């Protein structure tokens, strides 16, 4: 008796025969099914076949295998995304399994809120569209392992982002992230309730640990991606001679990130905003490089680290942040930019994108996060509908 078995793994399909055991002149086949999907009954006694019949049977099996493999290959080409045919559902994957896939785009939410606002949703969606072959991960402090979130959740942004095949949303567990890094000792000693800037400081620490352990690109949740970043090891200049920590990327176990974590602990001062963030990145870069002013749109490079021109992410500097929420006579093309930082920290009055306002931010939403924008329009329509008290 003979059984053909399909064996599945995240990126491959294989045809496998079970082991053969001879007993005297008779042949018996033990049927095994690897990663059980469908169990076919095995006949105990296979009729004798001529050598030619057996050969034809083998040819048929080979042709079927080639046909199915060809179909799967065509599907993979059309999908343009490896995650579109992962046999394992997203919610079964652990953070480490996804991070180990490599080259993740990482976002952090260190507040306790569970509903990502439109700007966060737009940032994650735009990255998922620009980097379709890479995992996009949103870590959220407000989530726990017991929190049940699925496509039917009442949080609209979760449904929106979860529907994107390369987006993953996980709880942010700092103690786990800081294991085997210089930051663990600091985390065990610090008292969050006594920290003036804990939301920012904890985010500064978490992004360093994640990039050091797994590599990839970190982005703030107010960064809208518009085209891929070609560099692997880079810092983003906020202005000449000053580095941001809102966007950076490095391979796993990069010495620069390890040195940053050590300096984070050595020079820790949670009362000074940015001391563990952009000021940390800047002072560490200065230990390696002689920083000079940027001329035009060129990038700088030192010790195999690219220091990217402010035009790459900050074409609108932070003193002019409100221009994103204004109507422009002629919208800029941002031809020299990879992404745009919308300076949400400066947005004290909580300006938001309003459908039909024709602001620069609205145009960015339409172009780079159209699903978030459509959801924004639908929410606006629902708010405008008359309630029961308005109906006579």
């Amino acid at each position: 008796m003979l059984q053909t078995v399909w064996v599945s793994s995240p990126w491959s399909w294989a045809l496998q025969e079970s082991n053969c055991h001879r007993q005297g002149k008779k042949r018996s086949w033990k049927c095994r099914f690897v990663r059980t999907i469908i169990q076919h009954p095995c006949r105990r006694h296979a009729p004798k076949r001529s050598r030619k019949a057996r050969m034809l049977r083998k040819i048929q099996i080979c042709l079927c295998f080639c046909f199915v493999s060809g179909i799967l290959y065509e599907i993979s080409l059309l999908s343009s995304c490896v995650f579109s045919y992962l046999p394992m559902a997203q919610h079964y994957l652990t953070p480490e399994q996804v991070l180990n896939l490599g080259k993740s785009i990482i976002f952090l939410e260190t507040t306790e809120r569970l509903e990502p606002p439109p700007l966060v949703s737009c940032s994650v969606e735009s990255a998922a569209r620009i980097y379709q072959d890479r995992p996009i991960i949103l870590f959220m402090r407000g989530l726990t392992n017991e929190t049940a979130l699925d496509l039917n959740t009442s949080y609209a942004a979760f449904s929106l982002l979860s529907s994107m095949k390369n987006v993953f949303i996980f709880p942010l567990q700092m103690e786990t992230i800081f294991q085997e890094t210089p930051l663990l000792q600091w985390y065990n000693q610090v008292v969050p309730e006594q920290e003036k800037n804990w939301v920012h400081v904890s985010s500064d620490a978490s992004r360093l640990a994640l990039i050091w352990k797994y590599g990839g690109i970190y982005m703030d949740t107010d960064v809208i991606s518009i085209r891929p970043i070609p560099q692997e090891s880079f810092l983003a200049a906020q202005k000449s001679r000053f580095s941001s920590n809102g966007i950076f990327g490095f391979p796993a176990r990069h010495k620069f990130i390890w040195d940053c974590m050590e300096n984070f602990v050595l020079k820790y001062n949670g009362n000074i905003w940015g001391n563990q963030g952009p000021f940390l990145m800047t002072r560490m870069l200065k230990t390696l490089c002689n920083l000079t002013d940027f001329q035009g749109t060129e990038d700088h490079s030192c010790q195999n680290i690219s220091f990217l021109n402010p035009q790459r992410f900050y074409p609108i500097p932070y003193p002019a942040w409100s221009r994103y929420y204004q109507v422009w006579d002629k919208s800029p093309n941002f031809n020299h930019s990879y992404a745009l930082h919308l300076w949400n920290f400066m947005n004290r009055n909580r300006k938001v994108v309003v459908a039909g306002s024709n602001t620069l931010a609205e145009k960015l939403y339409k172009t780079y996060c159209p699903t978030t924008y459509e959801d924004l329009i639908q929410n606006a329509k629902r708010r405008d509908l008359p309630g029961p008290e308005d109906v006579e």
Side-chain angles (χ1 to χ4, degrees), residues 215-328:
I217 296 175
Y218 168 80
M219 293 186 184
D220 277 350
T221 53
D222 56 349
V223 173
I224 298 178
S225 297
I226 62 177
R227 57 178 57 89
I229 302 169
Q231 290 84 359
E232 185 178 17
S233 300
F234 72 89
L235 294 172
Q238 185 173 314
K239 59 182 180 179
S240 287
R241 309 185 190 208
F242 189 80
S243 177
S244 162
N245 77 326
I247 312 163
F248 62 93
F250 286 90
R253 301 300 199 268
H254 197 283
K255 185 178 184 302
F256 179 79
I257 299 299
W258 180 267
D259 292 343
C260 285
M261 291 190 293
E262 288 188 328
N263 192 271
F264 182 106
V265 177
L266 182 65
K267 298 291 182 69
Y268 182 74
N269 187 338
N271 293 321
I272 301 176
W273 186 91
N275 187 61
Q276 272 60 54
F279 293 105
L280 166 66
M281 292 295 204
T282 302
R283 64 177 176 260
M284 294 306 297
L285 187 60
K286 285 181 176 179
T287 64
L288 301 177
C289 310
N290 180 24
L291 301 182
T292 59
D293 291 339
F294 287 95
Q295 303 294 330
T297 59
E298 87 287 356
D299 298 319
H300 292 173
S301 181
C302 175
Q303 301 287 330
N304 294 322
I305 298 174
S306 296
F307 191 38
L308 301 185
N309 193 289
Q311 288 295 314
R312 305 302 181 205
F313 306 103
Y314 303 102
I316 297 179
Y318 77 89
W321 69 270
S322 62
R323 298 200 67 190
Y324 280 114
Y325 299 93
Q326 296 173 0
V327 178
W328 291 52

Side-chain angles (χ1 to χ4, degrees), residues 178 181-188 204-206 208-209 261 264-265:
F178 297 146
T181 76
L183 297 168
L184 182 61
Q185 181 181 359
W186 161 80
Y187 181 71
N188 289 333
D204 292 335
S206 297
L208 289 172
M261 291 190 293
F264 182 106
V265 177

